[in-house]
């Protein structure tokens, strides 16, 4: 069986961007692949996190994975900081990465604009840690949103560079990016991606938002003054709602446009809210139950760490040997 690796940062409340862009694809792929789904807490501390909240968000992220339908018996679910090899391989790969490669990363450029002078070096080297995550597990496929494409290219380049210097070591991973859900947009500025760390709460929908909040946020989402429903880059807000619709029902975007032919924006918003509430409410109930059963979650992440260590220690040993470490 081929391997999958993917992860989400427990840096806040998971959004429907994380759900449609990542988790839903994981669920689709889990029966055909040997999957490692990680909670990337080491990545989350590239920006300041409050310890109590971080602890809570790590567990909540695990609960969301399981509640969404990822089977902990079939897949390896684990917490990144429980497997020290990630940090260790990350240092080694740091020494094979050029300054120019990391400076070019869009996510770094965007986040550094926000942080100004106090930007951490971790935010700069973040994609190298991500490459280490992926390359440790002989990963074939990495299901992510389209914002991660550039990071994945770096992982491929580093793997190829290392292989060329020392002989075949790493597998070259491929991205898996779906068409309609790869970039769920910000509800207030539909030209930007929806992000859990946005300061405007109305710009995103959390997986755990309740019914009233979902309706309110969707009804206030920014549209345009054109007045008819089309799937077009001139109507980014509407296009985003159609993409969300399609991510839930699996319907083609053309069919959705046809369905709303003589209807207004209010109708589309109402239908998208209904679909979202329906999709998320079962997950929310299960997350609540799981968060009340911390012993169960602990068992999952401990077993997961054991399996992840077992699956990755050989790769690090091989890398160290090839480099010339004793
Ligand atoms: P942060 O705001 O803290 O940087 P984020 O919300 O962008 O976080 P990540 O943890 O960086 O989320 O992303 C986890 C996964 O979710 C990645 O595969 C990423 O591509 C995907 N993802 C995040 N936001 C979106 C989005 N708006 N649309 C589609 N996929 C997304
Ligand atoms: N950088 C990713 C999260 C992440 C990841 C990974 C995704 C860290 N390591 C390995 C896929 C594979 C992000 O979404 N910001």
């Amino acid at each position: 069986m081929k391997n999958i690796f993917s992860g989400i940062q427990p840096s806040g409340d998971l959004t429907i961007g994380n759900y449609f862009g990542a988790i839903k694809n994981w669920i689709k792929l889990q029966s055909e692949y040997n999957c490692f789904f990680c909670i990337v807490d080491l990545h989350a501390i590239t920006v300041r996190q409050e310890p109590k909240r971080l602890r809570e968000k790590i567990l909540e992220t695990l609960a969301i994975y399981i509640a969404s339908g990822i089977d902990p018996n079939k897949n390896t679910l684990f917490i990144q900081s429980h497997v020290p090899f990630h940090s260790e391989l990350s240092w080694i790969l740091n020494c094979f990465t050029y300054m120019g490669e990391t400076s070019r990363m869009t996510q770094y450029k965007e986040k550094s604009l926000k942080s100004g002078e106090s930007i951490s070096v971790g935010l700069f080297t973040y994609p190298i840690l991500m490459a280490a995550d992926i390359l440790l597990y002989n990963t074939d496929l990495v299901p992510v949103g389209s914002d991660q494409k550039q990071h994945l290219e770096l992982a491929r380049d580093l793997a190829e560079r290392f292989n060329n210097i020392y002989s075949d070591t790493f597998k070259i991973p491929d991205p898996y990016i779906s068409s309609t859900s790869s970039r769920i947009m910000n509800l207030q500025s539909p030209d930007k991606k929806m992000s859990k760390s946005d300061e405007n709460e109305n710009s995103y929908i959390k997986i755990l938002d309740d019914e009233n909040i979902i309706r309110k946020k969707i009804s206030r989402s920014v549209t345009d003054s054109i007045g008819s429903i089309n799937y077009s880059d001139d109507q980014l807000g509407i296009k985003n709602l159609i993409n969300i619709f399609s991510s839930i029902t699996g319907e083609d975007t053309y069919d959705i446009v046809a369905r709303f032919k003589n209807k207004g924006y209010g109708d589309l918003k109402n239908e998208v809210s209904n679909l979202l509430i329906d999709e998320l409410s079962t997950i929310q109930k299960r997350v609540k139950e799981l968060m009340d059963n911390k012993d169960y979650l602990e068992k999952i992440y401990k077993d997961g760490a054991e399996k992840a260590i077992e699956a990755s220690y050989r790769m690090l040993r091989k890398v160290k040997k090839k480099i010339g470490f004793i």
Side-chain angles (χ1 to χ4, degrees), residues 75-140:
N75 307 287
T76 304
L77 308 185
F78 73 106
I79 299 170
Q80 189 185 27
S81 65
H82 290 179
V83 182
F85 310 144
H86 293 244
S87 309
E88 208 175 340
L89 181 61
S90 177
W91 170 256
I92 293 174
L93 294 178
N94 259 273
C95 302
F96 290 84
T97 311
Y98 308 133
M99 293 292 286
E101 288 177 310
T102 29
S103 338
R104 230 181 286 134
M105 296 290 152
T106 319
Q107 180 177 302
Y108 164 71
K109 286 198 252 176
E110 281 173 8
K111 291 206 174 178
S112 59
L113 279 180
K114 270 198 224 159
S115 313
E117 285 282 292
S118 56
I119 182 158
S120 73
V121 177
L123 209 50
F124 182 67
T125 55
Y126 172 117
I128 308 174
L129 176 59
M130 176 164 164
D133 297 341
I134 296 166
L135 300 180
L136 267 177
Y137 294 87
N138 272 315
T139 302
D140 295 280

Side-chain angles (χ1 to χ4, degrees), residues 10 30 65 73 104 157 189 193 216 218 230 255 276:
Q30 65 178 335
Y65 287 4
N73 298 316
R104 230 181 286 134
D157 289 346
S189 322
K193 117 179 160 128
K216 206 163 68 192
I218 292 285
N230 306 289
D255 294 334
L276 273 173

Side-chain angles (χ1 to χ4, degrees), residues 6-11 15 17-18 20-22 40 107 111 126 143-148 181-185 193-198:
S6 197
I8 297 180
Q9 306 181 71
S11 49
T15 69
N18 302 126
F20 293 120
V40 290
Q107 180 177 302
K111 291 206 174 178
Y126 172 117
V144 281
S146 58
D147 60 311
Q148 296 302 313
S181 60
S182 71
R183 199 170 166 80
I184 302 294
M185 306 309 276
K193 117 179 160 128
M194 180 182 286
S195 164
K196 65 170 114 66
S197 48
D198 200 289

